[in-house]
Amino acid sequence: MSSAELKAIAMLLRARNAIDERIADVVGRPVVHGHLSDWIAAQIFDIELEPAPNKAIDGFFRSGPLAGRTVNIKHYTRNQGMLDMTDAEELDTYLVMTGPRSAGSKGVHRPWAIEHVFLFDAQGLYDVLHAEMRRIGDSTSVPSRYWQQAEIHPVSRNANFPLSAEQTAALEEFRSGPGV
């Protein structure tokens, strides 16, 4: 056991806890991955979050072309082509934010970042994957062609949800730094 390494980790975790406490004060939720990404998406995309946890529905769009439609918000630190899916009929869309494209993960730091954003029609994606005989649930493998069709940031390929300049600028604030 290295007491110097343990002390260094303890000091870094105290600093991280102080930062997490400040973030929780702003977002009004515990700083766990899902709560933070839901709050950020709600701010950028004008989403009303559900007050109680719901496995399928995180909220609904308040304005824009999808006003009133339900959404499940996902954030993955790496874009690995996987999506945690549900067969809930009341779910209209998946809003998926990812970090950089995956280049493996063993021993690699996964910074919290938003490099890409995708908007999927939940029922349409479920139907097409079901027809292709894919297993649907946690870690559903979604072919890259569907990711490309659903991309709304940084490249706008999904004409159903054009981003405003303000939304694009907000998303750019969450890009990872150089060399990440």
Side-chain angles (χ1 to χ4, degrees), residues 45-48 60-69 161 167:
F45 298 103
D46 195 23
I47 295 169
E48 178 73 33
F60 62 90
F61 290 95
R62 288 189 284 221
S63 63
L66 300 177
R69 296 194 50 155
F161 200 81
Q167 289 169 316

Side-chain angles (χ1 to χ4, degrees), residues 2 14 27 33 39 41 52 54 80 97 115 133 141 143 180:
S2 166
R14 280 192 294 277
V27 303
H33 191 93
W39 184 86
N54 179 325
Q80 298 178 303
M97 303 176 292
E115 299 287 333
M133 305 296 286
S141 177
V180 177

Side-chain angles (χ1 to χ4, degrees), residues 41 45 47 59-61 63-67 69-74 79 83 91-98 116-125 142 145-163 167 171:
F45 298 103
I47 295 169
F60 62 90
F61 290 95
S63 63
L66 300 177
R69 296 194 50 155
T70 58
V71 61
N72 185 288
I73 302 164
K74 302 289 185 191
N79 182 348
L83 179 60
L91 177 61
D92 296 318
T93 57
Y94 289 103
L95 179 68
V96 184
M97 303 176 292
T98 73
H116 301 273
V117 182
F118 306 89
L119 185 72
F120 291 98
D121 173 275
Q123 296 307 311
L125 183 62
V142 177
R145 67 183 176 275
Y146 300 127
W147 288 98
Q148 289 174 350
Q149 293 167 1
E151 189 170 15
I152 61 173
H153 178 79
V155 178
S156 178
R157 293 187 173 113
N158 182 339
N160 294 324
F161 200 81
L163 297 182
Q167 289 169 316
L171 289 167

